[in-house]
Amino acid sequence: FAASALAVHLHSLPLLYAGYGVLGGIGLGIGYVTPVSTLLRWFPDRRGLASSVAIAGFGCGAMLAAPLKRALLGVYQRAPEVVFVSPGHTPHTDATTGRVFVDNIEVVLHEHLYTAVGTGSTGVAATFATLGVAYGAAMCVGAALFRVPADDYFDTAATPNSGVHQQQQQQ
């Protein structure tokens, strides 16, 4: 998310593709495969259930993240400053660049209002940065809690080859 935040701040589409697409995809793959493979090691006899629980958790995380992202965008978004043109101060256009200025402030005309260039924010860069910190912390906590079972881990009560299952078959 750091590369994505930087890309939005710099208005760089290639960096956004690299950060959000490539690096984000790698992170998503690591964050998805690791819990699934760990659960499959803990529950070798219930592989379908274990992977289903992991997939459901993954989906619920995405479902909870959508309102969080929307809320963060609302917090970080700010409207551009309106520049009022007082009598006698008419906007002038720079002949070489085509940019419009009022009292040495670059402005754009939007719905009959002049707004100062560079004063507003969509909040996307700050939202990416905040989510990067939050997701990074969550990944570190999750990684610290993951444990693979010992090599001799074997749940004898739940496997078909256990003594309990053989006794039931003999009856």
Side-chain angles (χ1 to χ4, degrees), residues 9-138:
H9 181 72
L10 297 175
H11 302 283
S12 172
L13 190 59
L15 183 57
L16 181 65
Y17 286 159
Y20 195 72
V22 176
L23 294 177
I26 291 169
L28 195 62
I30 292 170
Y32 178 77
V33 171
T34 305
V36 172
S37 65
T38 304
L39 279 171
L40 293 178
R41 289 182 184 173
W42 277 103
F43 303 102
D45 57 323
R46 304 274 192 260
R47 296 176 66 83
L49 177 65
S51 60
S52 298
V53 168
I55 292 168
F58 195 75
C60 287
M63 186 175 65
L64 295 175
L68 173 65
K69 291 174 187 175
R70 200 173 12 253
L72 285 173
L73 284 171
V75 168
Y76 292 127
Q77 181 182 14
R78 66 177 194 277
E81 295 176 15
V82 174
V83 176
F84 295 100
V85 180
S86 59
H89 293 97
T90 58
H92 68 279
T93 304
D94 186 317
T96 57
T97 63
R99 294 179 172 175
V100 180
F101 293 89
V102 173
D103 294 333
N104 295 326
I105 299 172
E106 185 179 359
V107 295
V108 291
L109 181 63
H110 180 72
E111 296 181 12
H112 306 293
L113 291 174
Y114 287 101
T115 57
V117 172
T119 58
S121 174
T122 60
V124 174
T127 298
F128 273 143
T130 302
L131 289 173
V133 170
Y135 288 167

Side-chain angles (χ1 to χ4, degrees), residues 139-155:
M139 292 286 281
C140 288
V141 169
L145 296 176
F146 278 0
R147 298 284 182 261
V148 293
D151 291 335
D152 61 348
Y153 173 76
F154 196 75
D155 189 1

